[in-house]
Amino acid sequence: MSLKEKLGNLFKGSKEEIEISKFRDEYFEILLESDVSLETVEYILGKFENKHLKQKRIMRSEAIESLKEILLEILERAKPETDILGTGKKPLIIMFLGINGTGKTTTIARLSYFLKNNGKTVVVAASDTFRAGAIEQIKYHGDELGIRVIAQTMGSDPSAIAFDAIEHARARNLDFVLIDTAGRMQTNKNLMDEMRKIKRVSKPDMTFLTVDAMAASDAIEQAATFLKDIKFDGIVVNKLDTDARGGAIFSIAHMFKEPIYFLGIGQKMGDLMLYDPQFIINKIFGEAQ
Ligand SMILES: Nc1nc2c(ncn2[C@@H]2O[C@H](COP(=O)(O)OP(=O)(O)OP(=O)(O)O)[C@@H](O)[C@H]2O)c(=O)[nH]1
Ligand SMILES: [Mg+2]
């Protein structure tokens, strides 16, 4: 059952008044079962208790409204301050990193599409030269979208490709350079060394981490540890559509200090949207009300 369904159930009999402590227990279970990390659940419940310190009992409808506010506030704090469409920097160089399968390449294709629809010009660097098929995958998207992909052969130096793409953008006065990278190499150390080198050579203006919304919170922690000494500026949360439980986004928003820029919400090219806390809240609470 999803967070939405569980809250829907809880909402039944909204006029009923129950003890605050009972709510605390109910919420604790619901949130944890929905993939919200323990640390985040405790934060949410702490806020909830603080808001209702003087109350012993609370009406279900009021309690659910209160929870909604706390959840929205967590998501609001993860909103970015920078509008990538309006930085004025040309080209704006964005490097993508993330564990394999979290949607780096897909995000680059969709972001290219999004940027193109917003009148921006884009070049992509196919700097995942490790995984078989990676270059073809990004080239395929480039062809579909009419966007230039700078690529070499498998095994070539990813930094050199990123560098070429930046040169290409400068020579043609393009708006964006998007750098795809590998999600896996022989060892994690190789991967990290490579990410550092690409960063050093391409000096990206922004580095985005892609994460999978379906991943339980331990996978999020794993990503944080795995990338602990590679700085990134923002997060793209993909596969929100496949997250049956629906709570991981709150952990991501709460546990990472970097803002969330985009959400991947489906399989189609247009299924990348600017991060929108209200959209997530509406998805969860929409029918519960
Ligand atoms: N349903 C759904 N699928 C997605 C979404 N984003 C990405 N995917 C799928 O997830 C799979 C992996 O995406 P990729 O873009 O190849 O991931 P990657 O991070 O580039 O992976 P590596 O190149 O192996 O490191 C693909 O099958 C995508 O179609 C999303 O928002 N929703
Ligand atoms: Mg990829």
Side-chain angles (χ1 to χ4, degrees):
M1 230 199 310
S2 68
L3 183 54
K4 176 180 175 169
E5 287 160 339
K6 285 185 175 142
L7 288 173
N9 280 351
L10 200 64
F11 196 65
K12 278 178 198 152
S14 64
K15 293 279 179 289
E16 188 194 353
E17 262 204 4
I18 61 171
E19 281 169 31
I20 293 276
S21 59
K22 175 143 186 282
F23 255 108
R24 202 192 186 285
D25 298 343
E26 272 186 12
Y27 281 170
F28 189 82
E29 216 180 296
I30 288 178
L31 293 168
L32 263 193
E33 281 174 1
S34 307
D35 254 359
V36 184
S37 72
L38 181 60
E39 193 190 317
T40 313
V41 173
E42 281 174 347
Y43 173 83
I44 294 167
L45 296 179
K47 282 249 153 189
F48 183 77
E49 278 180 338
N50 272 339
K51 276 177 81 173
H52 304 287
L53 270 181
K54 297 203 176 81
Q55 284 167 274
K56 274 221 168 62
R57 300 171 72 79
I58 187 169
M59 209 145 73
R60 282 193 177 276
S61 55
E62 190 192 339
I64 207 107
E65 204 46 49
S66 171
L67 177 68
K68 186 170 150 183
E69 275 168 23
I70 297 165
L71 293 178
L72 181 62
E73 181 226 294
I74 290 177
L75 297 180
E76 287 285 349
R77 271 193 280 118
K79 251 182 156 171
E81 283 168 13
T82 318
D83 168 13
I84 67 157
L85 291 175
T87 63
K89 165 87 168 41
K90 204 170 176 172
L92 191 80
I93 303 165
I94 309 179
M95 173 176 167
F96 288 78
L97 43 88
I99 292 173
N100 63 297
T102 51
K104 294 176 292 299
T105 308
T106 309
T107 303
I108 287 177
R110 293 160 156 186
L111 184 57
S112 303
Y113 178 75
F114 172 87
L115 292 170
K116 206 178 161 190
N117 286 343
N118 280 280
K120 304 292 183 188
T121 47
V122 183
V123 61
V124 171
S127 292
D128 177 359
T129 62
F130 183 77
R131 182 171 64 76
I135 299 170
E136 287 67 30
Q137 184 189 0
I138 192 73
K139 272 188 170 168
Y140 168 83
H141 287 306
D143 288 345
E144 291 277 296
L145 295 166
I147 280 173
R148 181 72 190 270
V149 175
I150 304 291
Q152 290 178 20
T153 48
M154 248 183 96
S156 27
D157 177 14
S159 310
I161 297 166
F163 190 81
D164 285 352
I166 295 164
E167 291 284 283
H168 177 91
R170 293 213 168 105
R172 285 163 186 77
N173 200 29
L174 303 182
D175 299 311
F176 284 86
V177 179
L178 307 181
I179 305 172
D180 194 14
T181 66
R184 181 168 19 213
M185 289 192 65
Q186 297 90 345
T187 65
N188 276 352
K189 184 176 181 308
N190 283 1
L191 182 63
M192 293 305 108
D193 287 347
E194 180 164 299
M195 294 305 119
R196 272 188 217 100
K197 187 173 171 203
I198 300 174
K199 260 198 119 169
R200 205 165 55 237
V201 172
S202 63
K203 300 185 183 63
D205 300 293
M206 309 193 84
T207 305
F208 284 170
L209 175 76
T210 54
V211 299
D212 181 338
M214 257 229 301
S217 28
D218 54 332
I220 297 163
E221 276 170 47
Q222 189 195 330
T225 330
F226 169 74
L227 292 162
K228 69 177 182 314
D229 48 334
I230 300 202
K231 238 183 75 51
F232 54 93
D233 311 288
I235 298 169
V236 178
V237 182
N238 282 317
K239 311 191 195 183
L240 266 191
D241 55 306
T242 65
D243 180 15
R245 287 183 288 223
I249 185 77
F250 297 99
S251 308
I252 297 169
H254 183 65
M255 284 158 57
F256 284 108
K257 60 180 189 307
E258 294 79 9
I260 303 170
Y261 278 80
F262 290 98
L263 303 173
I265 54 162
Q267 299 269 27
K268 293 195 293 291
M269 214 23 86
D271 287 339
L272 182 78
M273 60 180 283
L274 284 165
Y275 175 62
D276 179 358
Q278 197 64 56
F279 169 84
I280 297 162
I281 293 294
N282 289 351
K283 250 182 72 173
I284 295 169
F285 290 89
E287 281 170 31
Q289 298 219 324

